[in-house]
Amino acid sequence: MPVVCVALLFSVACTAAHPTPLAEASGSTTSTPSTSVASTTTVPPAALVPWIGPVEHLFFHTLVVRPELAFQRDALGRGFRDYFVTVGEFRAILDQLYANGWTLVDIHHAIVGDVQVPEGRKPFVLSEDDVNYYDYSRPRGQAWRLVLDTSGDVKVEVRDDLGTRITDDDLVPIVDEFVTAHPDFSADGAKGVLGLTGYEGLFGERVNRPSDPDFEGSAERVSALGARLRATGWTLATHSYGHIDLSKVSTARVQRDTDQWKAEAEPLIGSTDVYIYPFGANPGLATTNALKAAGYSIQCNIDSTPRLVQRDGASIMSRRHIDGIAFAQQARHLAPLFDVDAVEDHDARGT
């Protein structure tokens, strides 16, 4: 599907104050807390060999925990079907990626062509967009926020009619758990890239509202999460502050947005050199250069094939969107990665 069509559909589906992409669904209809598994492992790492060739980059949105809440028969439900996957689908995709010989690598190694993987395996970068747990998504079968459990591992807090609970039912804890069980699924401890906006806070903490009574506690939790994520192989990225369409706004507007990100987010989670274009919309050269000057030497768009382009000193890496649209339209192209028929949960989606 052309990138421009994906971007337009994202825009139409959005109901938040800022244009935020929508999502897809999960295999089970209820969320059950999973046994906590440490995010690190003492198993000796597999010997790595150099990889020559393109590197895949797959991206997801935060996962649907309760499909019956997400996939209702309304415009928002359609957005969830189009742009999200469920917890069950994501677990099935990881199983197939592993079985088909894929291994996580760090985006920085991929950009400079210094990729190494266990012998016989193939590299891919994983990323997750909008790790913010927006107000529109919380009551529609998604999680509430990321948290650290008593062991210091990253989990997700779910709040719904079943109560409040800490589970593994989202991308970060699932990947952490999977790498622990399958060390050769990660080269040098790499996990993935987490793309964050700022207009509704970070990681589900509303640190965009300094007047909140618990602002200081929220800020402390965000900083602790950011440090733990970085320490366990995750890369933090900006997805712009306001989820702006870079193809439709001026470079000056992008600069103001970037300044707001640096003022609010960076003091809590540190700086990043990765910028993920909202909607996958490609900006003009002036905006690309402005982002590069602001420190974002790695920039990511959307495409259905792996591409890495150098543009005036910035590295532009394409990402495949893995979601309901990809399931429906790109099954053949995804076959080397996973079998769509085997992972798509039609019962959960109501399709």
Side-chain angles (χ1 to χ4, degrees):
M1 173 175 220
V3 173
V4 65
C5 294
V6 175
L8 288 172
L9 284 170
F10 279 176
S11 178
V12 169
C14 168
T15 61
H18 292 246
T20 305
L22 285 175
E24 204 199 278
S26 157
S28 61
T29 56
T30 59
S31 172
T32 302
S34 303
T35 303
S36 175
V37 178
S39 302
T40 57
T41 178
T42 57
V43 176
L48 304 179
V49 297
W51 170 268
I52 304 297
V55 176
E56 289 279 1
H57 187 157
L58 312 182
F59 91 88
F60 299 80
H61 289 102
T62 49
L63 304 181
V64 170
V65 180
R66 297 276 304 278
E68 73 278 17
L69 299 179
F71 301 149
Q72 297 178 39
R73 298 296 175 180
D74 58 9
L76 194 57
R78 177 66 191 196
F80 278 112
R81 280 188 182 83
D82 283 348
Y83 305 120
F84 288 63
V85 305
T86 69
V87 169
E89 288 169 337
F90 182 71
R91 290 185 184 276
I93 288 169
L94 283 192
D95 286 338
Q96 291 213 3
L97 286 169
Y98 182 69
N100 290 334
W102 296 92
T103 286
L104 293 163
V105 296
D106 187 275
I107 190 170
H108 297 90
H109 291 301
I111 290 299
V112 300
D114 180 24
V115 176
Q116 297 188 80
V117 290
E119 188 168 6
R121 300 190 66 82
K122 299 161 287 189
F124 81 104
V125 174
L126 172 70
S127 58
E128 181 185 22
D129 283 3
D130 300 294
V131 191
N132 300 85
Y133 305 96
Y134 297 118
D135 290 345
Y136 85 89
S137 68
R138 282 172 161 176
R140 293 298 293 263
Q142 287 215 309
W144 199 267
R145 61 177 178 168
L146 292 182
V147 296
L148 295 176
D149 69 8
T150 55
S151 299
D153 293 322
V154 179
K155 304 296 180 183
V156 69
E157 181 179 285
V158 179
R159 301 183 190 178
D160 54 26
D161 58 311
L162 302 177
T164 299
R165 57 212 184 274
I166 306 301
T167 81
D168 291 330
D169 289 336
D170 212 347
L171 186 145
V172 169
I174 290 173
V175 170
D176 283 344
E177 179 185 72
F178 198 89
V179 170
T180 296
H182 308 282
D184 58 340
F185 189 61
S186 169
D188 288 328
K191 299 286 179 60
V193 181
L194 303 180
L196 298 144
T197 62
Y199 71 90
E200 284 190 13
L202 304 163
F203 306 133
E205 298 285 353
R206 297 300 184 249
V207 289
N208 59 306
R209 302 193 294 234
S211 60
D212 278 5
D214 191 32
F215 174 77
E216 290 188 6
S218 292
E220 289 176 1
R221 290 189 292 272
V222 164
S223 293
L225 280 163
R228 178 60 176 169
L229 288 163
R230 290 179 187 270
T232 53
W234 294 94
T235 296
L236 304 184
T238 179
H239 195 34
S240 82
Y241 181 88
H243 206 279
I244 56 176
D245 186 335
L246 302 185
S247 69
K248 296 179 178 179
V249 300
S250 67
T251 299
R253 172 69 179 89
V254 175
Q255 186 62 62
R256 291 195 299 272
D257 181 270
T258 299
D259 290 344
Q260 194 166 7
W261 167 270
K262 289 181 176 293
E264 291 188 22
E266 287 192 0
L268 299 178
I269 62 172
S271 62
T272 179
D273 58 355
V274 181
Y275 192 107
I276 296 173
Y277 301 154
F279 309 108
N282 288 300
L285 182 58
T287 294
T288 300
N289 287 340
L291 292 174
K292 172 64 168 59
Y296 304 117
S297 57
I298 301 172
Q299 300 173 27
C300 298
N301 60 13
I302 295 175
D303 205 338
S304 59
T305 57
R307 300 182 192 279
L308 180 61
V309 176
Q310 301 300 321
R311 194 178 188 193
D312 280 10
S315 300
I316 317 296
M317 188 179 200
S318 67
R319 309 182 302 154
R320 292 182 189 260
H321 57 100
I322 307 300
D323 50 28
I325 290 175
F327 288 174
Q329 299 180 4
Q330 299 173 16
R332 182 172 61 86
H333 296 291
L334 294 173
L337 297 152
F338 60 87
D339 180 357
V340 169
D341 288 339
V343 305
E344 185 174 12
D345 189 337
H346 292 284
D347 289 340
R349 291 174 174 276
T351 59

